[in-house]
Amino acid sequence: MEREEAFEVLEHPADVGFRAFGETLAELFENSALALLSIRAEMDRVEAREEYAVEAEATDLEALLVNWLNEILYLVDARAIALRRVRVDAIEDTHVRSTGIGEPFDSSRHRLRVIVKAVTWHQLKIVHTNESWVAEVFLDV
Amino acid sequence: MADFHLHRVNETRWQIPRDERRGMRTHVVIYASDALMEHIRKDLSLEQGINVATLPGIVGPSLAMPDIHQGYGFPIGGVAATDMDYGVVSPGGVGFDINCGVRLVRTSLAEADVRPRLRDLINQIFRDVPCGTGGAGFVKIDREGLKRLLVDGARWMVRNGYGFARDAEFAEAGGALEGADPDAVSDRAKERGQPQLGTLGSGNHFLEVQFVDEVHDEEAARTLGLSKDQVVVLIHSGSRGLGHQVCTDYVAEMNKVMKKYNITLPDRQLACAPIRSEEGQRYLGAMAAAANFAWANRQGITHFLRGAFRRIFDDDTRLELVYDVCHNIAKRETHEVEGRKHAVLVHRKGATRAFPPGHREIPGDYREVGQPVFIPGSMGTASWVLTGAEGAMRETFGSVCHGAGRLLSRTAVRKGKDARQEQKKLEEAGILVRSETRDGILEELPEAYKNVDEVIEVVHQAGLARKVARLRPMGVIKG
């Protein structure tokens, strides 16, 4: 199945969510990160100048996705980093190793859309069919 | 069709009876008018109220205020008390923004003094009160200082030159919850929060310059130092990245340990642990620390706000704190349940404490009129000052609503709208808006919210709180 889009934004009465797609688990994670980053900030002027290691663990796959996205959020929020994307280097059901690509936040070029407080566990879903992966995640903004 | 029975009890109360098939341990009580219930039924908030009724150790009903709307796990506008001995604590039941809250600052200026200089004032506040999107620090503090601040809250700020002693005294819990454990707050949470101290944040957080439009209770208004046409400032913010990270850390941890305590729940965001467990105690210590960070944060904002007023008006301009209340918190309190005193942990998720006249936790100056409660409406409409009433103590563990309640999703409200045009429309209505982000204006437009006056009417009629004054916005700073 060929899919053009990496993710779509889901409506929520107070917050916001996304449905991400991927042909592989790695791609699903990468597209989920892309959804989180682009809901949070305008990304067209973020340059790929530096790399940042992001790693996460969990007891199951859904928890792994939430923990990993929260790791990315910690990196961009606490360390003030603007990311273009996150590349998954290695992934299993309980462990993911990845690299964030971007540069330090610079308010003269980078713009936030909204501060994302956290990635939630609410109605969290990962579905694997024969040909693809789909994840649904809600964010607290 | 929803799989539950909702029936009307009287003009302002509704009930969903306990249903064991759904794992409910108690019933759900909802405070709403007909019109508000029509909105409430459109999203999942009632389902979420039922989910809360499944929490182990819940005491009394799962309560929903008229501003209730769908949250993640817990509904926003919900109250749940759990037994201190055999109940649970749920970080999601407090929320990612621990001690998100509002404070009202009264000024010595009248609307007529401010109107001619409003644009200068709003621009000055926008420059001086940071939104905190850039990652730079605004309050001088090192890691040792932060540890102390997590215990002392607003008092740390006062000691370090960011306010007056009175500011801490007139905050709920004196601006610092007991039992804070800075060591239960992860290094990441501290790192994330430190540069954001004294900043507003984004989303629904704001700072609003308003004036007293209507006084409904002269005596109470006088006691709170409020009078018609007086300019006041309402500040809505929370514990910023520090609190978000504390909640993130502990929801993840509780999801890991729930099996150990034989707890199963319909939504993982409800993750919880027994209050008496090691995880429960550590969370409560970390939550109190984050709550204290939030009071310090709103104190920092108040300090920067005073500076901005002094730059535009003269040095004699006084800005005094009326009160400061939190609306995302879990607090140890004693309440009467079925005629007996009961030690409970009251989870207020988008709900405000509203203690009635005479309660000893209310500052002496206000004790006779009851605890002040501030209910922000949307940026184009109105906000309210209320005081807690006896009904809240009898029925809602001393709690009331916290806002207007969202009606439209963020994507729905912005559809087909242009930020600059909307800003102009508000300006024509006498409300200046400045925002760090375009989304900040569009997603928080007045039509995104229920009518705050309707919400207030319900809690007033139900006897949970009393109307004191209605406030109208003149200028809004959004993150």
Side-chain angles (χ1 to χ4, degrees), chain A residues 8-60:
Chain A
E8 61 194 28
V9 173
L10 297 177
E11 299 233 357
H12 180 281
D15 291 292
V16 62
F18 62 80
R19 183 180 293 126
F21 310 97
E23 282 184 32
T24 62
L25 188 57
E27 196 185 21
L28 178 79
F29 270 54
E30 287 180 351
N31 286 342
S32 298
L34 200 60
L36 168 66
L37 294 170
S38 50
I39 286 169
R40 183 178 174 274
E42 292 174 12
M43 285 159 60
D44 42 345
R45 292 171 76 186
V46 179
E47 287 175 30
R49 291 200 301 198
E50 306 215 14
E51 297 198 338
Y52 308 86
V54 182
E55 211 170 333
E57 290 185 324
T59 49
D60 61 86

Side-chain angles (χ1 to χ4, degrees), chain A residues 9-17 38-40 42 53 55 57-64 66-67 70-81 105-107 110-124 138-141, chain B residues 43-44 48 69-73 76 95-97 100 131-135 187-189 191-193 195-196 201-205 240-241 244-245 248 251-252 255-256 267-269 406-412 414-415 435-440 443:
Chain A
V9 173
L10 297 177
E11 299 233 357
H12 180 281
D15 291 292
V16 62
S38 50
I39 286 169
R40 183 178 174 274
E42 292 174 12
E55 211 170 333
E57 290 185 324
T59 49
D60 61 86
L61 191 57
E62 288 178 350
L64 185 68
V66 170
N67 286 352
N70 272 319
E71 283 298 304
I72 294 167
L73 190 57
Y74 160 76
L75 177 70
V76 295
D77 194 54
R79 301 259 171 99
I81 305 295
F105 184 85
D106 170 1
S107 58
H110 303 144
R111 277 191 83 81
L112 275 196
R113 290 180 197 275
V114 66
I115 293 175
V116 175
K117 293 174 185 163
V119 179
T120 81
W121 300 69
H122 173 55
Q123 294 182 348
L124 174 63
F138 285 92
L139 309 175
D140 185 17
V141 298
Chain B
D43 67 22
L44 290 178
Q48 293 185 335
H69 57 271
Q70 184 182 337
Y72 31 84
I76 297 163
F96 286 101
D97 202 352
C100 183
C131 292
T133 52
D187 285 342
R188 323 199 109 194
E191 188 189 349
R192 200 170 158 191
Q196 298 176 357
S202 78
N204 61 0
H205 291 167
R240 307 289 286 105
H244 310 343
Q245 192 67 38
T248 298
V251 175
N255 262 298
K256 271 194 294 196
D267 190 312
R268 291 179 87 172
Q269 186 62 34
R406 244 192 129 89
L407 198 57
L408 293 176
S409 75
R410 291 170 189 278
T411 34
R414 49 189 296 166
K415 216 161 266 172
S435 176
E436 186 83 5
T437 59
R438 271 182 304 155
D439 298 23
E443 295 181 359

Side-chain angles (χ1 to χ4, degrees), chain B residues 110-121 312-313 474:
Chain B
E111 191 210 345
D113 304 325
V114 173
R115 199 59 87 179
R117 314 227 31 207
L118 186 61
R119 192 171 296 274
D120 292 343
L121 176 68
I312 301 298
F313 301 97
M474 303 167 73

Side-chain angles (χ1 to χ4, degrees), chain B residues 134-156:
Chain B
F138 298 91
V139 172
K140 286 189 199 79
I141 190 166
D142 59 15
R143 199 46 75 90
E144 261 320 291
L146 182 65
K147 273 185 93 167
R148 235 166 267 145
L149 176 143
L150 293 180
V151 174
D152 292 344
R155 292 199 286 264
W156 187 94

